[in-house]
Amino acid sequence: MSTTAPDPLATLGALPGVADAVDSVRKAVDRVYGHRVMRRRSNEVTAEAALRGARGSAALSGADWNLEEVRRRTDFSGDDESQVIGAALRLTAEAGQLLSIWRQSPLRVLARLHLVAAGGAAPDDAVGRPRLAGEPVDEPLIEAPLPGADEVAGRLEGLSGLILAGSAAPALVMAAVVHGELLALRPFGSYNGLVARTAERIVLIGSGLDPKSICPAEVGHAEQGRATYVAAFEGYLSGTPDGMAAWIAHCGRAVELGVRESTAVCEALQRGAA
């Protein structure tokens, strides 16, 4: 008699309030994909969503620049804030190129994301690999206790296995878990928040929920504010049903706010074409 291993993400999908968040996100995404501008100018919406998503992710990592300043700049090699903006832009550009590898080797993708984010700003031997015992972590927003290197390695393998095994759980649940787990682990010496939010984006794209990458959750995370982001993440860290549900709902609200941003972009493009 064969048995099927339980799907841990399906359990999260059944938590109170999560189904409502999933349904609300699905309806919001469907609405923006149905906008008339998407039939002819989806590439422009995607490009604008990438720019705004990068700005939002960078804001959460301490570089809260005006959108037009991000759009105008071409050199991001200066001070720390400039480097964070540059890293966020590079990661957003890279995300859509890694979908096929993500499905086969998520850990390779995470290593690549850190390499892209670092952009030569960190010592070569510390880039693109999980941190070793005793190595410091620079993550300005998350102050939760830092797991040891052995725990990080084990939990990364567990996360990879979860992704490779697949799940019947909604894309929002998988994206929230990937995002939350990477924030909890902070596996690299730098840019962990940026990498975690990019991984969330990859899951949302690859799952088919947002195949054109026009629903930048990073915008929504930033719009809700750093304090709200950290408070919701503490729910993830708690591991309790209520805490996990609150984190998933927070991520769902972030996607909806990203949808609202791209809907405004669609409306602006439509007015310009009229």
Side-chain angles (χ1 to χ4, degrees):
M1 180 178 177
S2 63
T3 59
T4 302
D7 182 346
L9 294 182
T11 302
L12 296 179
L15 291 173
V18 171
D20 290 341
V22 168
D23 184 56
S24 184
V25 165
R26 178 76 267 174
K27 289 177 179 176
V29 172
D30 286 347
R31 283 195 299 272
V32 71
Y33 270 83
H35 197 287
R36 62 185 299 179
V37 166
M38 288 297 296
R39 293 197 295 269
R40 296 174 289 107
R41 305 181 69 177
S42 64
N43 288 344
E44 293 173 71
V45 181
T46 295
E48 191 65 22
L51 181 70
R52 295 177 186 223
R55 193 217 71 83
S57 191
L60 287 171
S61 288
D64 192 0
W65 288 17
N66 179 278
L67 179 64
E68 294 311 312
E69 177 69 6
V70 177
R71 194 192 306 279
R72 180 185 67 80
R73 283 285 190 100
T74 56
D75 181 7
F76 299 98
S77 61
D79 59 18
D80 288 347
E81 286 195 6
S82 298
Q83 291 177 23
V84 168
I85 295 286
L89 289 167
R90 291 191 298 272
L91 285 171
T92 304
E94 188 81 1
Q97 312 302 315
L98 298 172
L99 294 177
S100 61
I101 304 173
W102 177 262
R103 297 184 183 104
Q104 300 170 9
S105 180
L107 298 186
R108 279 182 59 201
V109 170
L110 294 176
R112 172 64 183 170
L113 291 177
H114 187 242
L115 183 67
V116 168
D124 289 348
D125 64 352
V127 174
R129 62 154 174 80
R131 55 188 167 82
L132 304 177
E135 289 184 336
V137 172
D138 178 16
E139 181 51 53
L141 183 58
I142 305 303
E143 297 180 353
L146 198 64
D150 288 344
E151 182 181 350
V152 168
R155 286 172 63 176
L156 280 176
E157 287 294 339
L159 181 63
S160 176
L162 194 65
I163 294 164
L164 293 174
S167 173
L172 173 63
V173 174
M174 175 66 87
V177 168
V178 168
H179 182 171
E181 189 68 357
L182 291 173
L183 275 187
L185 296 179
R186 281 149 289 163
F188 303 110
S190 58
Y191 298 116
N192 288 288
L194 295 180
V195 168
R197 291 184 288 275
T198 305
E200 178 186 47
R201 173 184 282 265
I202 289 172
V203 173
L204 294 173
I205 298 169
S207 67
L209 178 65
D210 181 22
K212 294 184 183 293
S213 193
I214 62 167
C215 307
E218 305 95 325
V219 168
H221 288 303
E223 186 171 333
Q224 292 178 87
R226 299 178 90 196
T228 299
Y229 183 76
V230 171
F233 173 61
E234 287 173 355
Y236 178 87
L237 285 178
S238 76
T240 65
D242 286 348
M244 294 296 290
W247 170 248
I248 295 167
H250 170 86
C251 291
R253 179 60 178 157
V255 175
E256 290 186 67
L257 290 169
V259 167
R260 187 176 71 179
E261 188 87 353
S262 286
T263 300
V265 170
C266 288
E267 295 294 331
L269 289 172
Q270 184 169 281
R271 288 193 300 273

